[in-house]
């Protein structure tokens, strides 16, 4: 790539430098020592904020409701007004995703080891027990299916919400796992640290499976995109992004990502005609049709989460600094940023604080104990 700079350093040393940079934050100015939010050309302004008074672990968003996961339950907030709608108390499995599907909210009770189906008015519609005493984590919820990772067996269990039973399971092993779902074909695409595969979502029948060290995957219009780390060649490490026809099982294109500067890639997101890649050194935009690079937005910032698009502007949140960036989708140029202040070094909601959400034309995010809604100025 034109912008790749050859730098030789160990991964440990680079991560140490990255952490130091994140502390002093050369990008968008030094972070404030308090919770004052500072805007530097940011195109959005605060619509409302809601203080829960307790740490926030998870969010789920529709165009009407924001569900906020606390350690002791879920609080629902109205998207337009930021007012409390309802609150339901139970021991929330804070490592598990909460998600809306089929007009219901899906969450998990950590003590009772149950999956809960909650109505939009906060009523408990149904609950059913997970079928073992192992630790668990809800990885994804699509349509009628809940995908649960079990530890330490490292199985992926798939539960059918309509039947209230476990429909099937496969062994996925340790490491990262991402799941995509084709609603029309009822096919689940699984990318793990040892394989990628396509499975009938109703019964788990294997459609295809390939051995590969995959770190992230996303499905779009019949094409499955995934990232895989390669081995070192001539002391140079590289990763590869692949596009494959999900039905025909053939590779459409591949793109090499040199990792001399970046140490890894964390998420893939489809925005319009682009495959946007979240890395620990900024974003990369790739033409999803032919795999050609469109732009890079390089920064000292670590982007773990996925970018979102609001009013033709890309928004992405930094992992170490808690700065939200506004980026042009045309060329990757920075349009402004929102500095949220300095988070605690040890945060109970660290990963959730990497994530941005979109509801209608509102940008939804959390910081410490607050939920924020931002809108165009």
């Amino acid at each position: 790539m034109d912008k790749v700079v050859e730098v030789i350093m160990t991964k440990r040393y680079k991560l140490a430098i990255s952490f130091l940079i994140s502390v002093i934050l050369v990008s968008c100015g030094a972070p404030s020592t308090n919770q004052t939010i500072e805007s530097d050309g940011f195109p959005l302004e605060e619509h409302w904020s809601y203080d829960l008074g307790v740490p926030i672990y998870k969010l789920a968003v529709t165009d009407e409701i924001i569900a906020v996961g606390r350690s002791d339950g879920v609080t629902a907030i109205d998207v337009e007004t930021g007012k409390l709608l309802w609150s339901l108390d139970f021991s929330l499995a804070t490592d598990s995703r909460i998600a809306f599907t089929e007009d219901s909210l899906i969450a998990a009770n950590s003590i009772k080891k149950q999956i809960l189906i909650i109505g939009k008015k906060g009523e408990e519609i149904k609950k059913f027990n997970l079928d073992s005493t192992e630790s668990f984590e809800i990885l994804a919820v699509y349509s009628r299916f809940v995908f649960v990772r079990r530890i330490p067996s490292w199985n992926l269990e798939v539960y059918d919400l309509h039947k209230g039973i476990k429909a099937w399971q496969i062994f996925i092993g340790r490491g990262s796992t991402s799941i995509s779902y084709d609603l029309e074909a009822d096919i689940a695409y699984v990318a793990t640290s040892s394989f990628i595969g396509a499975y009938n979502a109703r019964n788990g029948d294997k459609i295809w499976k390939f051995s590969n060290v995959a770190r992230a995957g996303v499905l779009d219009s019949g094409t499955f995109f995934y990232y895989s780390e390669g081995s070192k060649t001539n002391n140079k490490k590289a990763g590869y992004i692949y596009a494959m026809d999900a039905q025909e099982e053939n590779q459409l294109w591949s793109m090499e990502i040199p990792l001399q500067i970046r140490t890894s890639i964390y998420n893939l997101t489809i925005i319009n005609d682009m495959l946007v890649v979240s890395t620990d050194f900024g974003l990369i935009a790739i033409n999803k049709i032919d795999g050609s690079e469109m732009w890079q937005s390089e920064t000292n910032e670590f982007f773990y989460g996925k970018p979102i698009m609001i009013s033709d502007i890309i928004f992405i949140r930094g992992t170490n600094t808690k700065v939200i960036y506004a980026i042009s989708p045309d060329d990757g140029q920075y349009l402004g940023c929102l500095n949220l202040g300095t988070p605690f070094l040890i945060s109970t909601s660290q990963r959730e604080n990497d994530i941005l959400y979109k509801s209608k034309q509102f940008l939804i995010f959390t910081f410490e104990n607050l939920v924020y809604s931002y809108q165009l100025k």
Side-chain angles (χ1 to χ4, degrees), residues 256-297:
E256 179 179 320
I257 306 290
L259 298 178
Q260 283 76 32
I261 302 251
R262 297 172 177 86
T263 60
S264 192
I265 287 171
Y266 298 95
N267 267 305
L268 305 177
T269 307
I270 299 295
I271 296 180
N272 296 337
D273 60 345
M274 299 181 294
L275 177 67
V276 182
V277 183
S278 301
T279 83
D280 54 2
F281 207 74
L283 298 179
I284 305 173
I286 300 169
N287 186 306
K288 69 179 185 180
I289 303 301
D290 60 17
S292 60
E293 181 184 306
M294 300 175 70
W295 49 257
Q296 294 187 24
S297 62

Side-chain angles (χ1 to χ4, degrees), residues 329-343:
D330 298 325
D331 54 15
Q333 294 297 310
Y334 288 95
L335 305 176
C337 64
L338 192 68
N339 188 343
L340 303 180
T342 307

